[in-house]
C-alpha cells in the first residue's frame, strides 16, 4: 500500500531543499558562472538586436530580460544535468532500486518531490542573484506588479515538473540499457537547443520554430520567460499554462507506464 499524504511529500520537498543547500561552494560557483555567461550573452544579444531590431517580436529590453531569466532558470530546470537522474540510474545499475520499489510510497512521486525541493533551492540560490545583477547592469523589462510575477512562478513550477518528467524517462532507460548516459546526453543536447537556453525559440524560422515551440523542452525556459515578459495575457496565458500542464501530465503518465513495466521486470527477476 502506498502512503499518499501531503505531509510526507512536503517533507521530501524540504529534504531536497536542505540537501542542496549544503553545497554552498558549488552554489557560489554556479552563481558566478551564470552571471558571467549572462554578461556574455547579453552583449551578444545587444549586437544581434542592433542588427535585427524587433527580432522574434522582442525589443532589446525583452531580449536582455530573456537572457537573465534563462540564466536564472538553468539550474532550476537542470537543463544541463545536475538533477536526480544520475543517482537514479546508478541505483538501477547497482540493483538498489529493488529496495526503493518495495517501499510503501509512490516511487515517481517521491523522486518528483525531491527534485522540486532541489529546484526550489536552485531558484533562490542560483536564480535570484543573476537576475538581480542583470537588472542592475541592463534595462530589463521586468513587471511592476505582483500578478505577472505570480504567473511566472506558476510557469516555473509547471516547467520544473515537465523537466522532471523528461529526466525521469531518461533515467528509466537504465532498466533496459544498463547505462543511460547516451540517452541522457541526447536529452540534454535537445534541452539546450529546444528550451530557449541559447536563443529564444521565437527567432527560429518557419517550420523549425513551430516544431521547437511545440516540443516539451519549450516549457522549461521559453514559456516562463514569455510569461514574465507579458507575451501572454488573458486566454493566451491560460493556454500557455495548459500547454505546460498537458506535457507534464502526458510525460508523467508515460513515465508511470515504464515504471510499471520495469517494476514487473524487477519482481520477476527477483523471484
Amino acid at each position: 500500500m502506498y502512503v499518499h499524504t501531503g505531509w510526507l511529500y512536503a517533507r521530501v520537498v524540504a529534504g531536497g531543499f536542505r540537501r542542496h543547500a549544503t553545497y554552498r561552494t558549488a552554489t557560489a560557483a554556479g552563481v558566478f558562472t551564470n552571471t558571467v555567461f549572462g554578461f556574455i550573452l547579453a552583449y551578444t544579444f545587444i549586437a544581434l538586436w542592433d542588427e535585427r531590431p524587433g527580432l522574434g517580436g522582442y525589443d532589446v529590453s525583452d531580449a536582455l530580460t530573456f537572457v537573465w531569466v534563462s540564466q536564472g532558470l538553468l539550474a532550476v530546470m537542470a537543463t544541463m544535468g545536475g538533477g536526480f537522474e544520475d543517482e537514479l540510474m546508478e541505483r538501477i545499475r547497482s540493483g538498489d532500486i529493488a529496495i526503493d520499489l518495495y517501499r510503501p510510497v509512490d516511487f515517481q512521486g517521491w523522486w518528483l518531490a525531491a527534485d522540486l525541493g532541489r529546484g526550489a533551492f536552485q531558484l533562490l540560490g542560483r536564480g535570484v542573484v543573476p537576475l538581480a545583477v542583470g537588472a542592475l547592469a541592463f534595462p530589463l523589462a521586468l513587471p511592476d506588479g505582483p500578478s505577472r510575477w505570480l504567473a511566472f512562478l506558476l510557469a516555473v513550477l509547471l516547467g520544473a515538473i515537465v523537466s522532471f518528467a523528461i529526466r525521469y524517462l531518461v533515467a528509466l532507460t537504465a532498466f533496459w540499457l544498463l547505462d543511460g548516459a547516451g540517452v541522457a546526453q541526447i536529452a540534454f543536447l535537445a534541452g539546450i537547443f529546444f528550451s530557449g537556453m541559447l536563443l529564444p525559440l521565437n527567432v527560429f524560422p518557419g517550420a523549425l520554430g513551430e516544431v521547437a515551440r511545440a516540443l516539451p523542452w519549450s516549457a522549461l525556459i521559453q514559456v516562463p520567460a514569455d510569461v514574465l515578459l507579458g507575451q501572454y495575457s488573458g486566454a493566451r496565458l491560460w493556454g500557455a499554462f495548459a500547454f505546460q500542464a498537458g506535457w507534464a501530465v502526458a510525460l508523467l503518465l508515460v513515465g508511470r507506464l515504464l515504471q510499471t513495466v520495469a517494476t514487473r521486470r524487477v519482481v520477476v527477476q527477483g523471484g
Side-chain angles (χ1 to χ4, degrees):
M1 179 181 295
Y2 287 151
V3 178
H4 292 290
T5 65
W7 175 247
L8 170 64
Y9 291 115
R11 294 193 64 178
V12 176
V13 170
F17 187 100
R18 289 194 302 270
R19 176 184 178 184
H20 288 271
T22 61
Y23 304 133
R24 297 183 180 89
T25 302
T27 300
V31 169
F32 177 78
T33 302
N34 289 142
T35 304
V36 169
F37 274 96
F39 276 100
I40 294 172
L41 287 174
Y43 286 114
T44 303
F45 275 36
I46 289 173
L48 178 59
W49 259 260
D50 282 344
E51 291 293 324
R52 297 286 301 277
L55 182 63
Y58 293 161
D59 59 23
V60 176
S61 293
D62 292 335
L64 290 172
T65 305
F66 188 95
V67 166
W68 291 102
V69 170
S70 65
Q71 288 301 304
L73 292 180
L74 289 184
V76 178
M77 302 302 175
T79 310
M80 301 179 67
F84 70 95
E85 54 276 7
D86 290 339
E87 180 182 353
L88 179 52
M89 284 191 286
E90 178 57 34
R91 293 188 70 80
I92 293 172
R93 284 193 294 266
S94 67
D96 292 340
I97 196 68
I99 300 173
D100 300 337
L101 291 171
Y102 280 109
R103 287 173 178 165
V105 64
D106 182 74
F107 183 73
Q108 186 186 55
W110 178 279
W111 285 99
L112 173 58
D115 197 57
L116 289 178
R118 177 205 60 80
F121 171 76
Q122 298 293 6
L123 182 62
L124 295 176
R126 291 182 58 177
V128 173
V129 174
L131 183 58
V133 171
L136 291 174
F138 300 96
L140 303 188
L142 297 175
D144 297 326
S147 59
R148 206 190 303 169
W149 283 107
L150 292 174
F152 169 69
L153 291 177
L154 176 56
V156 170
L157 173 61
L158 292 172
I161 296 174
V162 174
S163 173
F164 164 82
I166 294 172
R167 290 177 289 119
Y168 187 70
L169 288 173
V170 169
L172 290 182
T173 62
F175 276 109
W176 293 271
L177 301 178
L178 296 183
D179 185 358
V183 177
Q185 189 63 36
I186 293 172
F188 294 154
L189 290 174
I192 290 171
F193 188 76
F194 290 115
S195 67
M197 171 184 164
L198 297 179
L199 197 65
L201 302 183
N202 295 347
V203 309
F204 285 21
L208 176 61
E210 294 294 330
V211 171
R213 289 187 290 272
L215 293 174
W217 290 282
S218 67
L220 276 57
I221 293 176
Q222 183 68 49
V223 173
D226 278 341
V227 168
L228 187 68
L229 287 169
Q231 298 290 314
Y232 301 110
S233 60
R236 293 189 69 240
L237 177 60
W238 289 106
F241 292 151
F243 170 80
Q244 291 180 292
W247 270 119
V249 171
L251 292 172
L252 288 173
L253 287 176
V254 174
R256 187 165 291 277
L257 176 61
L258 288 183
Q259 172 190 317
T260 301
V261 174
T263 302
R264 291 175 180 172
R265 182 182 181 185
V266 170
V267 171
V268 170
Q269 290 179 346

